[in-house]
Amino acid sequence: MTEIKNTEDLFKRLNITEKTLSAEQKKFIADNGYLVIPPGKFIKKNLSLLRKITSDLIIKEGDKGGWEGKEQHYKKGKYFETNADRLGNLIEKDIIFSELILIPEILAAAHEVIKSDIKVGGLNFRNPHKGYGEQAIHIDGRPRRDLSETFAGVIAYIYLDESKIENGATRVIPGTHKKLGWPDYHINTNVRHKEEIRTVLPAGSVVILNLNTWHAGAKNINGEPRKTIFIQIK
């Protein structure tokens, strides 16, 4: 098998082409800083399995869940995030997670945003408990200081459960990836933004978010699971 040396080699192997995303999808993520991908065959086929594997890992890892890379800060009984289930470094924990990072639309969208070779920077999991999950508006990458700077990357949200207002669908403010500097240079990040949208979507959906797009988690009001896998690509 031919060695994969760069993104071009990977895309050839996976048959990812300029047509993997439509012209409309490319324009949408360029204009709005996010893109929704409906549930695909692989995720729909493996949704129940992904839920089971992550649920089993939550039980198995307990308070150690999510501490990968930050083990020096771990103390027995100290959870990575209070009132949320967290898992980290999923790529090392089951072969099925390796399949998720090969989903063509995610890789094509990442390349469309980054405009250069891409690499996976993380594969993690989060599920806020009832009454928790509200976040200040933030970005997940370095802020741009000049319009000539490239974007930091993307993060793909893979929803293992239905994402609803009641269980805390993510808040996204379209078009804000074009703004320079940190969000708090422009707004009070602890106040709901008048232009925010909510990612109300069926289980198996994927939201691909430019790391420079302003967004925030929302409170899980009814306590229903909102299990989400995050793939960061830079």
Side-chain angles (χ1 to χ4, degrees), residues 143-147 176-182 185-186 214:
R144 294 194 305 157
R145 306 294 181 179
D146 187 272
L147 291 175
T176 48
H177 61 302
K178 300 175 184 178
K179 294 184 180 294
L180 302 179
W182 298 102
Y185 290 3
H186 305 271
W214 301 357

Side-chain angles (χ1 to χ4, degrees), residues 111-125:
H111 188 259
E112 186 67 23
V113 169
I114 299 169
K115 305 294 186 185
S116 63
D117 279 341
I118 61 176
K119 63 178 180 180
V120 175
L123 187 60
N124 305 309
F125 169 98

Side-chain angles (χ1 to χ4, degrees), residues 41 46 81 83 115 119 124 131-132 175 181 186 221:
K41 290 182 180 180
N46 292 283
E81 180 183 352
N83 299 306
K115 305 294 186 185
K119 63 178 180 180
N124 305 309
Y132 296 90
H186 305 271
I221 299 168

Side-chain angles (χ1 to χ4, degrees), residues 29-34 137-139 144 151 171-183 186-187 193 195-196 209-215:
I29 196 168
D31 290 345
N32 296 280
Y34 77 97
I137 294 170
H138 62 281
I139 59 175
R144 294 194 305 157
F151 291 112
R171 302 151 51 204
V172 176
I173 300 93
T176 48
H177 61 302
K178 300 175 184 178
K179 294 184 180 294
L180 302 179
W182 298 102
H186 305 271
I187 60 168
H193 197 282
E195 296 178 7
E196 72 180 30
L209 190 74
N210 185 316
L211 291 179
N212 292 98
T213 302
W214 301 357
H215 64 286

Side-chain angles (χ1 to χ4, degrees), residues 8-66:
E8 183 180 0
D9 291 345
L10 175 65
F11 279 18
K12 286 180 180 178
R13 179 75 60 83
L14 298 175
N15 196 31
I16 297 173
T17 71
E18 285 294 318
K19 295 183 179 180
T20 298
L21 294 181
S22 68
E24 290 78 14
Q25 287 174 313
K26 293 176 183 177
K27 185 176 187 308
F28 191 91
I29 196 168
D31 290 345
N32 296 280
Y34 77 97
L35 181 67
V36 176
I37 304 295
K41 290 182 180 180
F42 178 80
I43 294 180
K44 286 194 289 187
K45 178 182 177 181
N46 292 283
L47 202 51
S48 295
L49 180 59
L50 287 164
R51 288 173 182 150
K52 182 180 187 307
I53 291 172
T54 51
S55 294
D56 289 347
L57 284 170
I58 289 166
I59 295 170
K60 178 183 177 181
E61 297 189 11
D63 62 6
K64 293 183 178 179

